[in-house]
Amino acid sequence: MALAAKDLNVGDTYTECLVEDLKRTQIVMYAGSSGDYNPVHTDEKFTKEIAGYPSVFAHGMLTMGMTGRMITNYVGDGRVTKYGVRFTSQVWPGDTLNSTATVDDVTDGIVTLSVETTNQDGVVVLSGYANARVD
Amino acid sequence: MAVNKFPVEGSHIMMFARSIADENQIYYDEDYAATTEPGRVIAPPTFAQSSAQFDPDYFLRPKTGEDWFGSGKEATGIKREASGGGGGGGGGGLHAEQHFEYHRHIGPGDVLTAEVKPGKTWEKEGKRSGKLVFSETITEYRDQNGELVITARGVGVRTERPVDQ
């Protein structure tokens, strides 16, 4: 279901829980599908002993992909025209992520959203924007 | 990553959608997809990133007969003195930003090419990880007709040391 411009107001929000208790297996699935096999995402031994992090951590693109799911669930399939993010904090196994889109503008059939994904401690892990066509 | 041939396939889209925990039927069910506005299976917005699968030289994929920096018996398969970590992520640095512009949504049957153009490079002093070196790449994805379908801009960052937690 696509959005209608007449139903949208600046400041409207849409929120989804992206994941609860992120599993290492989900990260492995993302490595396999995306082709990014950087061991920092799946190889605990390497990540602790060589890279110097407390554990493996999620690909930024996994968080961006899950956040994109929130956006397409909100604006409808095939409606996104732009989507960009900054990765502001790492995402770890066990994290629970919530993501919110906020309507910033609706002009000429395009909605501009600001997008923010936070973890269970309220830390922003991703912030960005999306544009989508609306009816 | 430059890619000469990135065939967009239904099973790859299905696996990609599963990997981002997106159960939307438009990503795997042709009959359902036919009833939607796009009218066919399409790829999730960030799918283009998986063009890495079709880059023969992609450095974050182990290759037969070559050393791999991930662990085997030892913590890294690279046979030299470990430098004491650092590098903030090992091998690839960290992903700082990613932006996509969609000129058309792609789906099974599309065959893409990806051309990479270098962008800007800049430095910054980070509180949690020492000096940060950012570098930007622009990737243009074109379809089988040579038409631009997605423009991607990625920013990577290399850190002086692992990010403090």
Side-chain angles (χ1 to χ4, degrees):
Chain A
M1 281 286 271
L3 295 173
K6 65 177 172 53
D7 299 330
L8 290 173
N9 297 297
V10 171
D12 284 355
T13 60
Y14 174 82
T15 297
E16 270 188 26
C17 178
L18 300 184
V19 64
E20 285 185 66
D21 184 15
L22 175 67
K23 305 299 190 292
R24 287 170 176 78
T25 306
Q26 189 76 45
I27 300 173
V28 169
M29 288 168 75
Y30 188 78
S33 74
S34 68
D36 179 346
Y37 300 101
N38 191 333
V40 295
H41 302 306
T42 56
D43 183 338
E44 196 88 8
K45 187 173 173 70
F46 169 86
T47 306
K48 282 184 170 169
E49 296 179 27
I50 304 294
Y53 287 100
S55 92
V56 295
F57 51 93
H59 306 74
M61 290 305 297
L62 171 55
T63 306
M64 185 177 190
M66 292 192 295
T67 301
R69 184 188 84 209
M70 178 278 290
I71 296 167
T72 51
N73 284 345
Y74 184 39
V75 304
D77 298 322
R79 290 284 181 134
V80 177
T81 56
K82 281 185 187 175
Y83 175 30
V85 305
R86 284 175 56 228
F87 302 106
T88 51
S89 196
Q90 279 158 294
V91 171
W92 306 92
D95 278 357
T96 292
L97 303 180
N98 284 286
S99 188
T100 298
T102 304
V103 174
D104 283 348
D105 183 58
V106 187
T107 303
D108 296 335
I110 297 285
V111 62
T112 300
L113 305 170
S114 58
V115 173
E116 196 167 86
T117 299
T118 53
N119 68 15
Q120 64 284 353
D121 299 319
V123 173
V124 177
V125 297
L126 172 152
S127 71
Y129 60 88
N131 285 358
R133 289 184 296 109
V134 292
D135 290 335
Chain B
M1 58 205 93
V3 176
N4 293 328
K5 190 176 182 184
F6 171 15
V8 178
E9 293 164 350
S11 56
H12 190 190
I13 292 174
M14 180 186 74
M15 288 189 286
F16 187 88
R18 285 180 180 165
S19 77
I20 57 170
D22 193 334
E23 297 188 342
N24 189 334
Q25 281 173 274
I26 198 169
Y27 300 134
Y28 63 90
D29 182 336
E30 288 176 18
D31 294 335
Y32 169 79
T35 68
T36 65
E37 184 179 88
R40 64 166 186 154
V41 170
I42 58 171
T46 60
F47 178 77
Q49 197 73 7
S50 65
S51 61
Q53 298 279 18
F54 298 92
D55 176 354
D57 301 320
Y58 189 53
F59 73 110
L60 293 175
R61 180 178 63 242
K63 294 175 197 70
T64 307
E66 293 180 22
D67 285 349
W68 173 244
F69 64 103
S71 71
K73 194 168 187 175
E74 305 299 331
T76 177
I78 299 290
K79 295 171 187 60
R80 57 175 166 72
E81 286 292 299
S83 61
L94 295 173
H95 202 164
E97 294 180 38
Q98 184 65 40
H99 306 264
F100 293 104
E101 190 172 346
Y102 306 97
H103 311 290
R104 161 169 95 69
H105 285 273
I106 56 174
D110 283 321
V111 181
L112 309 183
T113 57
E115 186 186 355
V116 180
K117 300 176 176 180
K120 291 177 291 190
T121 302
W122 65 98
E123 291 185 6
K124 204 169 110 177
E125 198 61 33
K127 287 195 186 85
R128 297 191 294 149
S129 51
K131 190 172 82 170
L132 304 168
V133 181
F134 294 89
S135 58
E136 182 185 63
T137 53
I138 315 291
T139 306
E140 291 183 349
Y141 293 91
R142 291 178 187 277
D143 68 10
Q144 53 279 10
N145 302 315
E147 305 218 341
L148 189 62
V149 289
I150 298 172
T151 307
R153 182 167 66 86
V155 178
V157 58
R158 285 188 176 277
T159 62
E160 201 167 22
R161 58 175 192 271
V163 182
D164 294 343
Q165 303 303 322

